Amino acid sequence: MEAFSSRLQEAGLKSTKQRDLIVERFFELDKHINAEELLEDVRGHQPRIGYATVYRTLKLLVEQGFALPKDFGDGQTRYDPIHNQDPQHDHLICVDCRKIIEFNDEELARRLHTIAEGMQYSIRRKKLELYAECQIPRCPNKLG
Amino acid sequence: MEAFSSRLQEAGLKSTKQRDLIVERFFELDKHINAEELLEDVRGHQPRIGYATVYRTLKLLVEQGFALPKDFGDGQTRYDPIHNQDPQHDHLICVDCRKIIEFNDEELARRLHTIAEGMQYSIRRKKLELYAECQIPRCPNKLG
DNA sequence: CTATGTGCAAAGGATTTGCAGGTAT
DNA sequence: ATACCTGCAAATCCTTTGCACATAG
């Protein structure tokens, strides 16, 4: 993503082949990935890349507003790529199979805005996760 | 809380003075506390209590449904006591002073229910946090 | 009695940092 | 040239575990 490259330049930071690869793969994979998974993927292209570089690049992406750290309660931080076209979505996590579904709801957004306003606050960002069970009997996603 | 004591007995677990103290203080303090803060408080009463006991007791409280672990992104797990009278609330976190405000909204709850239903899911639990900025000019809570 | 709990210290897992080279600009 | 980056390993932070002793039921 060239938006990221130009942001780097503005900040006086450098473009390196490791960093570029990590960022490229991060956006191509386009899922709620964690550092370990990203490292593994990236090592398929450049085997000598280390943990530190992946963590440092992810932190950079977060600082520059290209990724959002997420904690789904499994002990590791996952990172959600921000494609600047899409509005910020929420998540529904299946309690049975751990599938993560993204959603967006205008009415919900309006309500949250109203709630915050009522308390004299303006929302900067939010975290909304619904942990839910599939209603379909004998759902194919169900584990165990 | 005696509800907790009886739950312990049912599970064949024991009541000890450390455990009782930790649980008592946890509910008295009644805030989004982390293990370290709770340990510190409890050591004011029994200086020899160790980290492990606090962590083990908190885990017990969570397992038995008396506390909810929360991650507000500051690297530590905080625990929210569940007073069985109150319905499960959400949080608004001030991005300036980190104050945590609890809230409840019926219309919001209905909307979330509708959203999940539309995707063929039933909500088991949710995590909703609004990170927001105070609208009051020169808010006294503002840091820095 | 004997299963469960405690305190300590050591282990664990995820993430960060220090350092001695590398390498973009 | 000279910041900035990298890889490695060591360090750090929060949390869990192993173990020998203590204690509740």
Side-chain angles (χ1 to χ4, degrees), chain A residues 86-136:
Chain A
D86 49 54
Q88 207 37 57
H89 54 255
D90 301 304
H91 296 99
L92 184 147
I93 297 101
C94 179
V95 295
D96 294 313
C97 68
R98 292 252 128 199
K99 184 165 67 154
I100 298 169
I101 300 168
E102 299 178 355
F103 68 90
N104 246 298
D105 188 82
E106 266 306 316
E107 188 174 327
L108 170 65
R110 278 194 297 275
R111 188 65 201 160
L112 293 177
H113 181 78
T114 305
I115 290 169
E117 217 168 37
M119 297 191 283
Q120 303 265 303
Y121 276 86
S122 316
I123 299 175
R124 281 268 197 79
R125 60 199 166 79
K126 67 179 191 303
K127 184 194 292 188
L128 170 54
E129 289 146 31
L130 302 178
Y131 292 83
E133 185 180 1
C134 179
Q135 287 175 346
I136 302 166

Side-chain angles (χ1 to χ4, degrees), chain B residues 26-88:
Chain B
F26 177 65
F27 284 114
E28 276 178 23
L29 292 167
D30 192 30
K31 55 178 179 178
H32 309 87
I33 206 169
N34 62 30
E36 194 178 1
E37 290 164 353
L38 185 53
L39 175 65
E40 216 169 297
D41 179 280
V42 155
R43 277 193 170 158
H45 302 69
Q46 290 189 211
R48 319 237 38 158
I49 289 185
Y51 267 96
T53 303
V54 170
Y55 275 109
R56 288 190 274 232
T57 305
L58 284 169
K59 176 182 268 185
L60 208 57
L61 283 162
V62 171
E63 285 166 2
Q64 302 296 328
F66 292 92
L68 229 40
K70 293 277 168 186
D71 171 33
F72 293 124
D74 58 356
Q76 296 153 91
T77 305
R78 298 185 166 275
Y79 297 82
D80 203 354
I82 299 175
H83 305 237
N84 44 16
Q85 66 274 23
D86 50 55
Q88 206 39 56

Side-chain angles (χ1 to χ4, degrees), chain B residues 97-109:
Chain B
C97 69
R98 294 247 129 204
K99 184 165 70 155
I100 299 169
I101 300 168
E102 298 179 355
F103 68 89
N104 245 299
D105 189 85
E106 266 306 316
E107 188 174 327
L108 171 64

Side-chain angles (χ1 to χ4, degrees), chain A residues 13-14 16 18-19 48 53 56:
Chain A
L13 302 174
K14 289 172 183 173
T16 67
Q18 292 92 330
R19 191 173 276 178
R48 319 237 38 157
T53 304
R56 287 190 275 233

